[in-house]
Amino acid sequence: MAHTGRAAEDIQRWLVERVAGFLELTPADIDVRAPFQHYGLDSMEQLRIIGELETWLQREFEETLLRQYPTIESVSAFLAKAD
């Protein structure tokens, strides 16, 4: 896996904004430690987020990324250190 070149905080902020946008919430309403399932994101929404993340980071990810790392905090940390 290629390093994203992004800090975990940047990835986390991006994901918070996307999840908030999907749910029509404010970023302040999103808990980075809550599982994606907590917000009721279905598999199609999760795949859309992964697709947008792939475009933003210019990398490909497994469809299971958000199941393997089920919180914004955990997936951000993984992507920031992945090499």
Side-chain angles (χ1 to χ4, degrees), residues 2-71:
H3 190 276
T4 63
R6 301 271 183 177
E9 295 80 18
D10 293 337
I11 298 168
Q12 188 168 294
R13 187 177 314 109
W14 187 93
L15 283 166
V16 165
E17 289 174 5
R18 288 306 175 284
V19 170
F22 271 97
L23 301 173
E24 298 181 1
L25 298 171
T26 67
D29 293 326
I30 304 299
D31 179 354
V32 298
R33 293 183 181 100
F36 290 103
Q37 286 183 318
H38 169 78
Y39 294 105
L41 293 173
D42 65 27
S43 58
M44 290 304 293
E45 290 168 322
Q46 289 185 26
L47 288 175
R48 279 186 59 200
I49 289 170
I50 291 170
E52 290 180 17
L53 194 55
E54 287 177 332
T55 299
W56 183 58
L57 295 175
Q58 299 179 344
R59 288 183 49 196
E60 289 188 17
F61 302 110
E62 296 291 326
E63 290 181 1
T64 59
L65 179 69
L66 301 185
R67 288 195 300 274
Q68 292 175 307
Y69 300 93
T71 67

